[in-house]
Amino acid sequence: MTDADRLRRLLGGPDTAWLVRRVRQRLERGRPLTGTVTLAGAAPGQRRAVELLLGRRAGTGTSLSVSLTEIDRVLRDSGASPGGLAAAVEVLDGPVRDLARERAETAAAWEAAFGPLDEVVAARSELAGWRGRLDSSGLVRRLAAGPEEAAGLLRDLARVARGLPASGVPIGRFAAETCGDAHALDDGRPLATLAVSCARAIAGLPFRTDGGAESRREAWAAVGVHLDELSSTVLCLGLPGDGGTATGRMLAAMRGEPVSLTLRQLRRHPAPIPAGLVRVCENPVVLTAAADALGPACPPLVCCNGRPSAAVWRLLELLAGGGAEFAYHGDFDWGGVAIAAAVRDRVGSRPWRPWRYDAAAYREAASGTALTGRPSPTPWDPALAAAMTERGVRVEEEQVLSDLVGDLRAGSR
Protein backbone atom coordinates (compact mmCIF):
# COMPACT_ATOMS: atom_id res chain seq x y z
CA MET A 1 0.00 0.00 0.00
CA THR A 2 1.30 3.45 -0.87
CA ASP A 3 2.73 5.47 2.00
CA ALA A 4 1.27 8.80 0.94
CA ASP A 5 2.98 10.90 3.60
CA ARG A 6 6.40 9.53 2.82
CA LEU A 7 5.76 9.81 -0.89
CA ARG A 8 4.91 13.48 -0.55
CA ARG A 9 8.10 14.10 1.43
CA LEU A 10 10.20 12.38 -1.24
CA LEU A 11 8.49 13.52 -4.45
CA GLY A 12 5.69 15.90 -3.63
CA GLY A 13 7.54 19.10 -2.81
CA PRO A 14 8.05 22.16 -5.03
CA ASP A 15 11.67 21.18 -5.74
CA THR A 16 10.58 17.91 -7.41
CA ALA A 17 7.53 19.37 -9.19
CA TRP A 18 9.49 19.57 -12.46
CA LEU A 19 10.23 15.84 -12.22
CA VAL A 20 6.60 14.90 -11.58
CA ARG A 21 5.55 17.11 -14.50
CA ARG A 22 8.04 15.44 -16.87
CA VAL A 23 6.90 11.97 -15.82
CA ARG A 24 3.22 12.91 -16.31
CA GLN A 25 3.98 14.20 -19.82
CA ARG A 26 5.64 10.90 -20.71
CA LEU A 27 2.74 8.88 -19.35
CA GLU A 28 0.16 11.03 -21.18
CA ARG A 29 2.00 10.45 -24.44
CA GLY A 30 2.25 6.71 -23.85
CA ARG A 31 6.03 6.73 -23.55
CA PRO A 32 7.85 4.28 -21.21
CA LEU A 33 9.38 5.52 -17.96
CA THR A 34 12.92 4.60 -18.91
CA GLY A 35 16.06 6.58 -19.63
CA THR A 36 16.81 9.92 -18.02
CA VAL A 37 15.27 13.35 -17.72
CA THR A 38 17.44 16.43 -17.46
CA LEU A 39 16.79 19.81 -15.86
CA ALA A 40 19.01 22.59 -17.16
CA GLY A 41 20.06 25.23 -14.64
CA ALA A 42 18.93 23.24 -11.59
CA ALA A 43 18.69 25.22 -8.35
CA PRO A 44 20.49 23.94 -5.20
CA GLY A 45 17.15 23.02 -3.59
CA GLN A 46 16.14 20.94 -6.64
CA ARG A 47 19.48 19.11 -6.52
CA ARG A 48 19.15 18.39 -2.76
CA ALA A 49 15.59 17.07 -3.25
CA VAL A 50 16.78 14.55 -5.85
CA GLU A 51 19.68 13.50 -3.61
CA LEU A 52 17.23 12.89 -0.75
CA LEU A 53 15.04 10.82 -3.08
CA LEU A 54 17.92 8.71 -4.42
CA GLY A 55 20.00 8.58 -1.24
CA ARG A 56 23.16 9.64 -3.09
CA ARG A 57 24.92 12.58 -4.68
CA ALA A 58 23.24 13.74 -7.87
CA GLY A 59 26.40 14.87 -9.63
CA THR A 60 27.76 18.34 -10.20
CA GLY A 61 27.33 21.05 -12.81
CA THR A 62 24.47 23.31 -13.79
CA SER A 63 22.20 20.57 -15.21
CA LEU A 64 20.60 17.76 -13.27
CA SER A 65 20.01 14.34 -14.88
CA VAL A 66 17.83 11.74 -13.20
CA SER A 67 17.31 8.08 -14.14
CA LEU A 68 13.61 7.27 -14.23
CA THR A 69 14.35 3.58 -13.83
CA GLU A 70 16.30 4.29 -10.63
CA ILE A 71 13.52 6.47 -9.18
CA ASP A 72 10.96 3.77 -9.94
CA ARG A 73 13.11 1.19 -8.11
CA VAL A 74 13.63 3.46 -5.10
CA LEU A 75 9.93 4.14 -4.72
CA ARG A 76 9.05 0.45 -4.95
CA ASP A 77 11.82 -0.74 -2.61
CA SER A 78 11.17 1.97 0.00
CA GLY A 79 7.45 1.18 0.18
CA ALA A 80 6.60 4.81 -0.54
CA SER A 81 4.92 3.65 -3.78
CA PRO A 82 4.85 -0.13 -4.30
CA GLY A 83 3.25 0.54 -7.69
CA GLY A 84 6.32 2.46 -8.80
CA LEU A 85 6.76 5.89 -10.37
CA ALA A 86 3.61 5.85 -12.53
CA ALA A 87 1.39 5.11 -9.52
CA ALA A 88 3.21 7.76 -7.48
CA VAL A 89 2.43 10.48 -10.02
CA GLU A 90 -1.29 9.66 -9.90
CA VAL A 91 -1.29 9.79 -6.09
CA LEU A 92 0.49 13.14 -6.07
CA ASP A 93 -1.08 14.82 -9.10
CA GLY A 94 -4.29 12.99 -9.99
CA PRO A 95 -5.21 10.55 -12.79
CA VAL A 96 -3.05 10.57 -15.90
CA ARG A 97 -4.76 11.36 -19.19
CA ASP A 98 -4.38 9.00 -22.13
CA LEU A 99 -3.79 11.60 -24.83
CA ALA A 100 -3.58 9.06 -27.64
CA ARG A 101 -6.98 7.63 -26.70
CA GLU A 102 -8.44 11.12 -26.30
CA ARG A 103 -7.13 12.15 -29.71
CA ALA A 104 -8.59 9.02 -31.27
CA GLU A 105 -11.95 9.60 -29.60
CA THR A 106 -11.98 13.26 -30.65
CA ALA A 107 -11.06 12.35 -34.22
CA ALA A 108 -13.85 9.76 -34.28
CA ALA A 109 -16.31 12.33 -32.90
CA TRP A 110 -15.34 14.85 -35.59
CA GLU A 111 -15.65 12.19 -38.28
CA ALA A 112 -19.13 11.30 -37.01
CA ALA A 113 -20.08 15.00 -36.90
CA PHE A 114 -19.12 15.40 -40.56
CA GLY A 115 -20.93 12.18 -41.53
CA PRO A 116 -24.25 13.72 -42.70
CA LEU A 117 -22.44 16.35 -44.75
CA ASP A 118 -20.06 13.79 -46.26
CA GLU A 119 -23.06 11.77 -47.47
CA VAL A 120 -24.22 14.80 -49.45
CA VAL A 121 -20.71 15.54 -50.76
CA ALA A 122 -20.28 11.94 -51.92
CA ALA A 123 -23.24 12.38 -54.24
CA ARG A 124 -22.20 15.81 -55.56
CA SER A 125 -18.76 16.06 -57.15
CA GLU A 126 -18.91 19.87 -57.31
CA LEU A 127 -18.70 19.94 -53.50
CA ALA A 128 -15.57 17.80 -53.17
CA GLY A 129 -13.11 20.69 -53.34
CA TRP A 130 -15.20 22.76 -50.94
CA ARG A 131 -15.28 19.90 -48.44
CA GLY A 132 -11.49 19.72 -48.53
CA ARG A 133 -11.24 23.47 -47.98
CA LEU A 134 -13.45 23.20 -44.89
CA ASP A 135 -10.79 20.93 -43.42
CA SER A 136 -7.76 22.88 -44.57
CA SER A 137 -9.18 26.24 -43.48
CA GLY A 138 -10.39 24.94 -40.12
CA LEU A 139 -13.59 26.94 -40.61
CA VAL A 140 -15.92 24.48 -38.87
CA ARG A 141 -13.57 24.06 -35.91
CA ARG A 142 -13.40 27.82 -35.49
CA LEU A 143 -17.17 28.18 -35.55
CA ALA A 144 -18.00 25.26 -33.22
CA ALA A 145 -16.64 24.71 -29.71
CA GLY A 146 -16.16 20.99 -30.36
CA PRO A 147 -17.48 17.98 -32.27
CA GLU A 148 -20.69 17.80 -30.22
CA GLU A 149 -21.68 21.36 -31.13
CA ALA A 150 -20.43 20.86 -34.68
CA ALA A 151 -22.64 17.79 -35.16
CA GLY A 152 -25.86 19.82 -35.05
CA LEU A 153 -24.34 22.56 -37.18
CA LEU A 154 -23.23 20.12 -39.86
CA ARG A 155 -26.56 18.28 -39.90
CA ASP A 156 -28.24 21.57 -40.74
CA LEU A 157 -25.55 22.36 -43.31
CA ALA A 158 -26.20 19.00 -44.99
CA ARG A 159 -29.90 19.88 -45.24
CA VAL A 160 -29.01 23.24 -46.77
CA ALA A 161 -26.69 21.58 -49.31
CA ARG A 162 -29.43 19.13 -50.30
CA GLY A 163 -31.81 22.01 -50.92
CA LEU A 164 -29.48 23.90 -53.28
CA PRO A 165 -29.86 25.16 -55.88
CA ALA A 166 -33.31 26.53 -55.08
CA SER A 167 -35.74 28.23 -57.42
CA GLY A 168 -35.96 31.87 -56.40
CA VAL A 169 -37.04 31.54 -52.77
CA PRO A 170 -36.55 34.07 -49.96
CA ILE A 171 -33.77 33.09 -47.59
CA GLY A 172 -36.09 33.05 -44.57
CA ARG A 173 -38.41 30.54 -46.23
CA PHE A 174 -35.48 28.46 -47.43
CA ALA A 175 -34.04 28.41 -43.90
CA ALA A 176 -37.40 27.38 -42.43
CA GLU A 177 -37.83 24.58 -44.98
CA THR A 178 -34.33 23.17 -44.58
CA CYS A 179 -33.46 23.90 -40.94
CA GLY A 180 -36.82 24.42 -39.25
CA ASP A 181 -35.83 27.96 -38.26
CA ALA A 182 -36.49 30.99 -40.44
CA HIS A 183 -33.54 32.80 -38.87
CA ALA A 184 -31.02 29.94 -39.10
CA LEU A 185 -29.27 31.56 -42.07
CA ASP A 186 -29.25 35.12 -40.74
CA ASP A 187 -25.93 36.93 -41.19
CA GLY A 188 -23.53 36.37 -38.31
CA ARG A 189 -24.73 32.89 -37.41
CA PRO A 190 -22.20 30.05 -37.75
CA LEU A 191 -24.54 28.10 -40.03
CA ALA A 192 -24.94 31.12 -42.33
CA THR A 193 -21.16 31.40 -42.71
CA LEU A 194 -20.87 27.73 -43.67
CA ALA A 195 -23.97 27.77 -45.86
CA VAL A 196 -22.86 30.73 -47.96
CA SER A 197 -19.51 29.01 -48.57
CA CYS A 198 -21.47 25.95 -49.73
CA ALA A 199 -23.57 28.15 -52.02
CA ARG A 200 -20.39 29.56 -53.52
CA ALA A 201 -19.11 26.04 -54.22
CA ILE A 202 -22.35 24.97 -55.92
CA ALA A 203 -22.31 28.14 -58.02
CA GLY A 204 -18.67 27.58 -59.01
CA LEU A 205 -17.45 30.68 -57.18
CA PRO A 206 -14.07 30.76 -55.40
CA PHE A 207 -13.93 29.52 -51.81
CA ARG A 208 -14.18 32.22 -49.14
CA THR A 209 -14.56 32.01 -45.38
CA ASP A 210 -15.99 35.51 -45.16
CA GLY A 211 -17.05 38.41 -47.37
CA GLY A 212 -19.17 41.51 -47.43
CA ALA A 213 -22.90 41.84 -47.91
CA GLU A 214 -22.63 42.05 -51.70
CA SER A 215 -20.50 38.90 -51.84
CA ARG A 216 -23.08 37.01 -49.77
CA ARG A 217 -25.93 38.35 -51.89
CA GLU A 218 -24.15 37.23 -55.06
CA ALA A 219 -23.50 33.74 -53.70
CA TRP A 220 -27.08 33.18 -52.56
CA ALA A 221 -28.51 34.63 -55.76
CA ALA A 222 -26.38 32.28 -57.83
CA VAL A 223 -28.14 29.30 -56.24
CA GLY A 224 -31.66 30.71 -56.40
CA VAL A 225 -32.00 32.18 -52.91
CA HIS A 226 -32.64 35.89 -52.54
CA LEU A 227 -32.02 38.02 -49.46
CA ASP A 228 -34.75 40.49 -50.39
CA GLU A 229 -36.95 41.28 -53.37
CA LEU A 230 -35.62 44.75 -54.13
CA SER A 231 -31.85 44.26 -54.23
CA SER A 232 -32.11 41.40 -56.74
CA THR A 233 -32.42 42.96 -60.21
CA VAL A 234 -32.07 42.12 -63.88
CA LEU A 235 -31.19 44.40 -66.82
CA CYS A 236 -33.09 44.01 -70.07
CA LEU A 237 -33.68 45.81 -73.33
CA GLY A 238 -36.28 45.43 -76.05
CA LEU A 239 -38.72 43.23 -74.16
CA PRO A 240 -42.30 43.66 -75.33
CA GLY A 241 -44.56 45.56 -72.98
CA ASP A 242 -48.28 45.34 -72.42
CA GLY A 243 -51.00 47.61 -71.17
CA GLY A 244 -52.44 45.26 -68.60
CA THR A 245 -49.71 45.13 -65.95
CA ALA A 246 -47.48 47.64 -64.18
CA THR A 247 -44.34 45.92 -65.39
CA GLY A 248 -45.71 45.63 -68.92
CA ARG A 249 -46.57 49.34 -69.03
CA MET A 250 -43.10 50.24 -67.78
CA LEU A 251 -41.44 48.07 -70.45
CA ALA A 252 -43.59 49.65 -73.13
CA ALA A 253 -42.81 53.18 -71.94
CA MET A 254 -39.07 52.44 -71.75
CA ARG A 255 -38.82 50.70 -75.11
CA GLY A 256 -35.36 51.39 -76.52
CA GLU A 257 -33.73 52.03 -73.13
CA PRO A 258 -32.20 49.49 -70.74
CA VAL A 259 -34.60 48.67 -67.90
CA SER A 260 -33.74 47.33 -64.45
CA LEU A 261 -36.47 45.05 -63.09
CA THR A 262 -36.57 43.99 -59.46
CA LEU A 263 -37.41 40.53 -58.27
CA ARG A 264 -40.44 42.00 -56.54
CA GLN A 265 -41.81 43.32 -59.85
CA LEU A 266 -41.19 40.04 -61.62
CA ARG A 267 -42.70 37.89 -58.86
CA ARG A 268 -45.84 39.97 -59.09
CA HIS A 269 -46.05 39.80 -62.88
CA PRO A 270 -49.09 37.55 -63.45
CA ALA A 271 -48.42 36.03 -66.86
CA PRO A 272 -45.60 34.70 -69.07
CA ILE A 273 -43.87 37.18 -71.37
CA PRO A 274 -43.99 36.23 -75.08
CA ALA A 275 -40.82 37.43 -76.80
CA GLY A 276 -39.72 34.97 -79.51
CA LEU A 277 -35.94 34.78 -79.69
CA VAL A 278 -34.26 36.28 -76.62
CA ARG A 279 -30.55 36.93 -76.66
CA VAL A 280 -28.77 36.69 -73.30
CA CYS A 281 -25.44 38.38 -72.60
CA GLU A 282 -23.15 38.51 -69.58
CA ASN A 283 -22.16 42.20 -69.36
CA PRO A 284 -24.19 45.48 -69.24
CA VAL A 285 -21.89 47.04 -71.86
CA VAL A 286 -23.71 44.97 -74.50
CA LEU A 287 -27.07 46.53 -73.52
CA THR A 288 -25.57 50.01 -73.58
CA ALA A 289 -24.06 49.53 -77.02
CA ALA A 290 -27.28 47.97 -78.35
CA ALA A 291 -29.43 50.80 -76.96
CA ASP A 292 -27.11 53.41 -78.49
CA ALA A 293 -27.04 51.71 -81.88
CA LEU A 294 -30.59 50.42 -82.23
CA GLY A 295 -32.81 52.13 -79.68
CA PRO A 296 -36.45 50.94 -79.88
CA ALA A 297 -35.53 48.62 -82.78
CA CYS A 298 -33.37 46.40 -80.55
CA PRO A 299 -34.76 42.85 -80.29
CA PRO A 300 -35.21 41.26 -76.83
CA LEU A 301 -31.96 41.22 -74.87
CA VAL A 302 -31.37 40.14 -71.24
CA CYS A 303 -28.17 40.73 -69.27
CA CYS A 304 -27.02 38.33 -66.55
CA ASN A 305 -24.59 40.96 -65.21
CA GLY A 306 -22.22 38.26 -64.01
CA ARG A 307 -23.64 35.39 -62.01
CA PRO A 308 -27.41 35.35 -62.56
CA SER A 309 -29.46 36.74 -59.69
CA ALA A 310 -32.84 35.45 -58.57
CA ALA A 311 -34.36 38.22 -60.68
CA VAL A 312 -32.54 36.96 -63.79
CA TRP A 313 -33.85 33.45 -63.20
CA ARG A 314 -37.39 34.72 -62.67
CA LEU A 315 -37.32 36.76 -65.89
CA LEU A 316 -35.99 33.80 -67.89
CA GLU A 317 -38.73 31.67 -66.36
CA LEU A 318 -41.40 34.15 -67.50
CA LEU A 319 -39.87 34.30 -70.96
CA ALA A 320 -39.63 30.51 -71.22
CA GLY A 321 -43.27 30.29 -70.17
CA GLY A 322 -44.08 32.61 -73.05
CA GLY A 323 -42.43 30.27 -75.55
CA ALA A 324 -39.11 32.09 -75.90
CA GLU A 325 -36.01 30.59 -77.45
CA PHE A 326 -32.62 31.61 -76.04
CA ALA A 327 -29.23 32.43 -77.53
CA TYR A 328 -26.34 33.08 -75.12
CA HIS A 329 -23.09 35.00 -75.32
CA GLY A 330 -20.61 35.73 -72.55
CA ASP A 331 -16.96 36.34 -71.83
CA PHE A 332 -14.68 33.63 -73.11
CA ASP A 333 -13.35 32.65 -69.70
CA TRP A 334 -14.21 29.83 -67.32
CA GLY A 335 -16.61 32.02 -65.36
CA GLY A 336 -18.48 32.87 -68.53
CA VAL A 337 -18.61 29.18 -69.46
CA ALA A 338 -20.11 28.36 -66.05
CA ILE A 339 -22.77 31.06 -66.49
CA ALA A 340 -23.61 29.76 -69.98
CA ALA A 341 -23.99 26.22 -68.62
CA ALA A 342 -26.19 27.45 -65.77
CA VAL A 343 -28.49 29.35 -68.14
CA ARG A 344 -28.64 26.38 -70.50
CA ASP A 345 -29.57 24.06 -67.66
CA ARG A 346 -32.08 26.50 -66.20
CA VAL A 347 -34.15 27.08 -69.32
CA GLY A 348 -34.50 23.32 -69.53
CA SER A 349 -36.70 22.15 -72.38
CA ARG A 350 -36.76 25.52 -74.12
CA PRO A 351 -34.51 25.79 -77.22
CA TRP A 352 -31.07 27.14 -76.28
CA ARG A 353 -28.10 27.81 -78.51
CA PRO A 354 -24.80 29.62 -78.28
CA TRP A 355 -24.64 33.13 -79.73
CA ARG A 356 -21.16 33.49 -81.19
CA TYR A 357 -20.13 31.36 -78.22
CA ASP A 358 -18.45 28.36 -79.75
CA ALA A 359 -14.96 27.26 -80.72
CA ALA A 360 -15.07 28.95 -84.13
CA ALA A 361 -16.06 32.33 -82.66
CA TYR A 362 -13.44 32.03 -79.94
CA ARG A 363 -10.63 31.34 -82.41
CA GLU A 364 -11.69 34.30 -84.57
CA ALA A 365 -11.71 36.76 -81.63
CA ALA A 366 -8.70 38.96 -80.92
CA SER A 367 -6.36 37.82 -78.19
CA GLY A 368 -7.09 39.03 -74.69
CA THR A 369 -5.47 38.57 -71.30
CA ALA A 370 -4.22 35.27 -69.93
CA LEU A 371 -6.95 32.74 -69.18
CA THR A 372 -6.95 31.62 -65.54
CA GLY A 373 -9.15 29.45 -63.35
CA ARG A 374 -10.37 25.88 -63.46
CA PRO A 375 -11.55 24.60 -66.86
CA SER A 376 -15.23 23.74 -67.25
CA PRO A 377 -16.92 21.59 -69.91
CA THR A 378 -18.85 23.19 -72.78
CA PRO A 379 -21.41 20.51 -73.69
CA TRP A 380 -23.03 22.66 -76.41
CA ASP A 381 -19.65 22.62 -78.21
CA PRO A 382 -16.97 20.43 -76.58
CA ALA A 383 -14.41 21.90 -78.97
CA LEU A 384 -14.78 25.28 -77.22
CA ALA A 385 -13.34 24.08 -73.90
CA ALA A 386 -10.51 22.37 -75.77
CA ALA A 387 -9.75 25.54 -77.76
CA MET A 388 -9.77 27.72 -74.66
CA THR A 389 -7.45 25.35 -72.83
CA GLU A 390 -5.10 25.20 -75.81
CA ARG A 391 -5.07 28.93 -76.63
CA GLY A 392 -5.10 30.06 -73.01
CA VAL A 393 -6.47 33.60 -73.52
CA ARG A 394 -9.53 35.35 -72.13
CA VAL A 395 -11.79 37.27 -74.54
CA GLU A 396 -14.26 39.73 -73.06
CA GLU A 397 -17.56 40.71 -74.64
CA GLU A 398 -16.27 44.27 -75.10
CA GLN A 399 -13.79 42.90 -77.64
CA VAL A 400 -16.56 41.55 -79.90
CA LEU A 401 -19.20 44.25 -79.37
CA SER A 402 -19.43 45.18 -83.04
CA ASP A 403 -20.26 41.58 -83.99
CA LEU A 404 -22.91 41.29 -81.27
CA VAL A 405 -24.55 44.59 -82.18
CA GLY A 406 -24.47 43.55 -85.85
CA ASP A 407 -26.38 40.38 -85.00
CA LEU A 408 -28.95 42.40 -83.05
CA ARG A 409 -29.32 44.83 -85.95
CA ALA A 410 -29.90 41.94 -88.35
CA GLY A 411 -32.44 40.45 -85.93
CA SER A 412 -34.38 43.73 -85.80
CA ARG A 413 -35.15 43.70 -89.51
Side-chain angles (χ1 to χ4, degrees):
M1 183 176 179
T2 299
D3 185 342
D5 290 339
R6 187 177 184 189
L7 179 60
R8 288 190 182 92
R9 289 196 300 273
L10 290 174
L11 198 59
D15 289 326
T16 54
W18 70 274
L19 180 56
V20 173
R21 185 168 58 253
R22 297 280 189 88
V23 173
R24 171 175 286 277
Q25 289 171 349
R26 286 201 175 201
L27 291 171
E28 288 177 340
R29 288 165 173 75
R31 295 174 57 191
L33 299 182
T34 58
T36 61
V37 292
T38 299
L39 177 65
Q46 292 171 320
R47 188 177 297 279
R48 283 195 300 272
V50 169
E51 290 175 345
L52 175 63
L53 175 61
L54 298 179
R56 63 171 179 79
R57 290 283 304 276
T60 60
T62 58
S63 64
L64 174 62
S65 293
V66 182
S67 167
L68 297 180
T69 302
E70 185 178 2
I71 294 177
D72 183 80
R73 178 184 57 75
V74 167
L75 293 175
R76 291 177 187 275
D77 291 349
S78 68
S81 178
L85 182 54
V89 167
E90 291 205 337
V91 170
L92 294 171
D93 201 33
V96 173
R97 296 168 59 192
D98 184 344
L99 294 183
R101 177 180 58 79
E102 289 180 14
R103 282 194 295 269
E105 289 176 349
T106 300
W110 275 109
E111 184 177 357
F114 271 97
L117 182 62
D118 286 338
E119 289 182 11
V120 178
V121 173
R124 302 185 65 167
S125 59
E126 73 271 27
L127 292 177
W130 167 73
R131 173 64 179 88
R133 294 296 295 273
L134 287 183
D135 282 341
S136 63
S137 69
L139 180 58
V140 177
R141 294 172 189 257
R142 294 200 304 273
L143 293 172
E148 184 175 347
E149 181 179 326
L153 193 60
L154 292 168
R155 279 195 300 272
D156 285 342
L157 182 59
R159 296 187 187 104
V160 169
R162 286 192 182 95
L164 294 176
S167 55
V169 299
I171 194 165
R173 192 177 98 195
F174 178 73
E177 291 174 349
T178 55
C179 307
D181 178 0
H183 297 285
L185 298 175
D186 287 357
D187 286 349
R189 291 198 174 190
L191 179 60
T193 300
L194 292 169
V196 77
S197 75
C198 177
R200 293 180 67 85
I202 291 172
L205 297 169
F207 180 86
R208 294 181 67 171
T209 60
D210 55 14
E214 188 57 37
S215 173
R216 292 191 296 271
R217 192 186 318 280
E218 176 191 17
W220 281 119
V223 292
V225 178
H226 60 85
L227 304 189
D228 62 75
E229 293 185 321
L230 296 180
S231 62
S232 181
T233 61
V234 55
L235 292 168
C236 57
L237 174 66
L239 293 186
D242 63 68
T245 65
T247 300
R249 288 191 293 272
M250 183 179 70
L251 289 172
M254 295 292 291
R255 186 83 181 201
E257 286 296 324
V259 176
S260 179
L261 299 175
T262 68
L263 179 61
R264 180 180 176 84
Q265 289 171 305
L266 293 167
R267 287 174 67 88
R268 283 158 176 73
H269 191 72
I273 301 174
L277 175 64
V278 177
R279 297 188 186 270
V280 182
C281 63
E282 182 179 346
N283 298 287
V285 66
V286 181
L287 267 75
T288 301
D292 290 344
L294 302 173
C298 184
L301 181 61
V302 174
C303 177
C304 290
N305 199 11
R307 292 280 171 176
S309 65
V312 172
W313 294 136
R314 174 59 179 164
L315 178 56
L316 295 183
E317 179 183 296
L318 290 171
L319 291 166
E325 298 182 6
F326 298 94
Y328 179 86
H329 188 278
D331 291 334
F332 283 110
D333 58 18
W334 300 122
V337 165
I339 295 170
V343 172
R344 179 174 181 262
D345 291 343
R346 194 62 174 253
V347 299
S349 61
R350 297 307 309 161
W352 182 102
R353 66 175 182 266
W355 171 25
R356 292 185 181 270
Y357 203 64
D358 53 21
Y362 173 70
R363 292 192 183 97
E364 291 172 3
S367 294
T369 57
L371 179 64
T372 59
R374 185 175 61 187
S376 298
T378 51
W380 60 90
D381 182 14
L384 173 58
M388 290 172 64
T389 301
E390 178 184 355
R391 188 180 178 197
V393 297
R394 178 175 186 265
V395 180
E396 298 176 332
E397 282 189 310
E398 289 86 341
Q399 296 172 255
V400 293
L401 265 181
S402 60
D403 292 332
L404 300 179
V405 171
D407 290 343
L408 291 167
R409 179 177 285 110
S412 68
R413 293 171 187 156

